[in-house]
Amino acid sequence: MMKYIYSNLIPPSSYSTQGLCADIPLRCHRNANMDEHGTIRLRNDWQTHIGSLPSSTHGGRGPMYNFTSVTIPECLPERLEGVSYAMEFAFLHDDLVDGDGAGGGLALYEDIMRDIGAESRGEVHGGSATGEARILRSIMEEMSSLDAFRTKELLQYWKTGVSLPRDRTHFDTFEEYLDFRLVDSGALTSLLTGLMTFGMALTIPPEEKEECMALTRRAWHAAFLTNDVQSWEKECAEYEKQVALSEGVETPHMVNSVWVLMQQESLNVEEAIERVLEKVKGFVAEYAEIVTGIQGRMDLSEDSQCFVEAAQYMVSGNLVWGMESPRYHADRGLDRVQKANRERAVLRTANQLPTPPDEALHSSPDRAA
């Protein structure tokens, strides 16, 4: 199991989960400033190679914690900036798709899918010259210089994710919706899986990948439903725009658990949100038991067990980050230092932690009570 080397356990008294994540702790990377560094660098490169940033987006930044620092808190320090850079690219692309609908955002999505496929075959360097391809090459070159094998694995995860269908809007049961979200958000799920394994230098044996995905299923469900609630107002605003643009010809649909329950069970917004949050609590409790249950399993490699344990921070980190993130809450802002960094593009220098020998990465945990 994991030994926690690069992160600090955050005291529960210093943050609120509104009772949604009582069974999973929150940790934050000690070198969180490198997360900030990667985020700002990507945003600068996006403006240079692609164009203006999607409107009103803060990507993975937050006033207290940035996304990557709390969702992959045991990322190797020398890999954190690159992982954050790739994650911010995914956030901005998602914002572009949401903002442009079937316009430039989806065109960019197709370009990325083509470029990822070409990169996995070693063809990008002689292929696309688009801005997103240049950024993708930068991501892969930087990561390959650190770990070529796991960079190739990341590409395969990412390629699988962006190839999945994403256009379903009707669900007979809520479980169907949950299954769909693993597909609809497949690009993000696959990317996060690849970034976790790359960032933490984990290798999941091919014969164990299916079991790892099955074991972490409830972690992803909890994270997706949490995002559905946190992004509800943002999605409603976008839905109203789509309704206005449709001019009554075709009624748009929302792919959100709150909306699904409202339609399936004739609930109002408040009732549907309450039901979703109850499901989140149940999934969190279930996943905490799964994490405890994998300890010492002889049929799973040490890295697979570490991956399942590490996935719990996708739940707690995503929840706490999202509760304060300007991405979901227009009335929230970045802190003073972040604003200064954004305006001046001044990147703080991290105090690098020493890199321990590989065997120290996967020892028994020092989990604080």
Side-chain angles (χ1 to χ4, degrees):
M1 298 298 288
M2 293 172 60
K3 182 175 182 180
Y4 294 98
I5 300 171
Y6 306 120
S7 64
N8 293 319
L9 186 68
I10 306 301
S13 60
S14 68
Y15 62 90
S16 171
T17 66
Q18 298 179 351
L20 297 176
C21 204
D23 300 308
I24 295 178
L26 177 70
R27 303 190 74 95
C28 184
H29 205 287
R30 296 180 190 176
N31 292 71
N33 49 349
M34 295 308 295
D35 181 350
E36 183 87 351
H37 189 154
T39 297
I40 295 175
R41 184 160 62 90
L42 181 279
R43 296 170 76 86
N44 290 341
D45 288 350
W46 180 286
Q47 293 178 89
T48 298
H49 301 303
I50 297 177
S52 60
L53 297 170
S55 60
S56 303
T57 180
H58 289 283
R61 305 175 81 189
M64 183 64 69
Y65 305 109
N66 283 3
F67 180 83
T68 304
S69 293
V70 287
T71 55
I72 316 179
E74 281 299 303
C75 183
L76 274 64
E78 66 273 18
R79 302 187 183 197
L80 181 59
E81 181 183 337
V83 170
S84 174
Y85 185 97
M87 192 65 240
E88 190 71 4
F89 179 70
F91 273 129
L92 265 59
H93 172 252
D94 186 59
D95 287 336
L96 190 63
V97 171
D98 287 344
D100 289 354
L106 291 182
L108 177 58
Y109 177 86
E110 295 297 330
D111 285 344
I112 290 173
M113 186 163 64
R114 182 189 64 248
D115 292 332
I116 288 175
E119 176 68 41
S120 68
R121 298 188 299 272
E123 299 172 0
V124 164
H125 288 280
S128 175
T130 62
E132 62 272 11
R134 294 185 66 176
I135 291 179
L136 182 61
R137 283 198 297 272
S138 174
I139 292 171
M140 296 308 148
E141 288 170 358
E142 181 176 335
M143 290 184 167
S144 292
S145 70
L146 295 172
D147 189 335
F149 172 77
R150 292 187 179 89
T151 300
K152 186 176 181 180
E153 285 278 289
L154 167 60
L155 268 173
Q156 289 303 317
Y157 281 119
W158 202 351
K159 180 183 177 183
T160 298
V162 298
S163 300
L164 294 171
R166 301 157 58 94
D167 56 357
R168 185 175 175 185
T169 58
H170 176 75
F171 312 95
D172 292 327
T173 66
F174 194 75
E175 197 64 31
E176 279 189 10
Y177 171 77
L178 290 176
D179 290 341
F180 172 75
R181 279 306 301 269
L182 288 176
V183 174
D184 170 63
S185 299
L188 181 57
T189 306
S190 298
L191 175 61
L192 288 171
T193 297
L195 290 177
M196 285 173 63
T197 54
F198 172 85
M200 297 175 63
L202 299 175
T203 300
I204 301 175
E207 66 274 14
E208 296 179 12
K209 286 183 178 179
E210 185 175 347
E211 176 67 4
C212 283
M213 295 307 107
L215 286 168
T216 56
R217 179 183 180 86
R218 287 311 193 194
W220 299 119
H221 283 163
F224 295 152
L225 294 189
T226 298
N227 282 351
D228 280 354
V229 173
Q230 292 174 336
S231 65
W232 173 250
E233 291 185 5
K234 177 183 176 183
E235 291 186 41
C236 279
E238 183 58 34
Y239 173 78
E240 290 173 359
K241 290 181 183 178
Q242 294 299 322
V243 169
L245 290 173
S246 70
E247 298 180 343
V249 175
E250 182 179 356
T251 303
H253 294 274
M254 292 180 66
V255 182
N256 184 296
S257 57
V258 177
W259 175 266
V260 170
L261 284 177
M262 289 172 65
Q263 303 304 307
Q264 288 183 347
E265 302 186 24
S266 300
L267 303 177
N268 61 36
V269 172
E270 291 75 17
E271 291 170 336
I273 288 177
E274 183 177 353
R275 288 283 299 279
V276 172
L277 295 180
E278 285 300 319
K279 291 179 182 294
V280 170
K281 290 180 185 178
F283 292 156
V284 167
E286 185 177 338
Y287 197 68
E289 292 181 0
I290 289 172
V291 171
T292 300
I294 63 164
Q295 298 183 27
R297 274 185 57 168
M298 302 302 294
D299 61 327
L300 286 178
S301 65
E302 201 166 12
D303 277 11
S304 291
Q305 292 183 45
C306 285
F307 174 78
V308 175
E309 181 173 350
Q312 69 183 316
Y313 301 108
M314 282 290 169
V315 180
S316 59
N318 173 70
L319 171 62
V320 175
W321 163 77
M323 291 179 72
E324 297 294 330
S325 172
R327 178 178 179 81
Y328 300 133
H329 308 285
D331 60 330
R332 313 290 168 83
L334 303 176
D335 68 19
R336 177 179 56 81
V337 174
Q338 288 178 314
K339 288 179 180 178
N341 282 345
R342 180 181 60 185
E343 292 168 0
R344 301 193 307 267
V346 173
L347 306 175
R348 291 170 285 171
T349 302
N351 295 318
Q352 291 291 336
L353 294 174
T355 302
D358 288 343
E359 61 268 23
L361 296 178
H362 313 308
S363 304
S364 59
D366 64 348
R367 191 187 308 279

